[in-house]
Amino acid sequence: AALLSPELRKRVEIMAEHIARNGHEFERTVRQKNMNNPQFAFLYNGEGADYYHHVLAGFRGNGYGGVPGAGSGMQQAVGGEFAELLQRYKEPPALPLAHDLER
């Protein structure tokens, strides 16, 4: 992860958190919608894929709800920065589909 750009690391961490929270079906949908988007190459074993799998495993398997290894020292500071990012980049509200709108 040290060789990844800060922007890519943030994108990976935010996406992994959302996918861990919303499940495999959400991951499948994200993959389908971003198939040709180079910013999400980590979903297809591109740049950042190893880091993505590492962070996703941390969200899914560790009880602390942060970046894997964020348990002590410098890693806690990274976890704090990540928590700040999650506050800044909240998930957008779900909008009704066109057929659900009253006309």
Side-chain angles (χ1 to χ4, degrees):
L3 301 176
L4 300 178
S5 71
E7 294 82 16
L8 179 56
R9 284 197 334 255
K10 288 177 191 175
R11 192 175 319 115
V12 165
E13 291 165 1
I14 291 168
M15 183 59 67
E17 191 272 336
H18 286 289
I19 287 174
R21 183 172 7 128
N22 295 304
H24 294 289
E25 193 62 37
F26 178 74
E27 182 177 23
R28 197 170 303 127
T29 301
V30 168
R31 286 169 154 265
Q32 288 172 347
K33 290 185 176 184
N34 292 288
M35 192 176 294
N36 297 315
N37 187 340
Q39 291 185 338
F40 294 95
F42 59 87
L43 294 171
Y44 304 96
N45 294 321
E47 182 181 14
D50 290 339
Y51 184 59
Y52 166 69
H53 292 292
H54 177 72
V55 173
L56 184 61
F59 278 116
R60 285 182 172 161
N62 298 337
Y64 57 82
V67 176
S72 64
M74 178 65 165
Q75 293 173 334
Q76 279 184 343
V78 171
E81 291 172 16
F82 185 63
E84 178 189 334
L85 279 174
L86 290 176
Q87 291 299 315
R88 239 187 317 164
Y89 297 101
K90 294 190 179 205
E91 191 170 353
L95 300 175
L97 299 175
H99 66 274
D100 291 337
L101 296 173
E102 293 183 305
R103 298 176 190 217

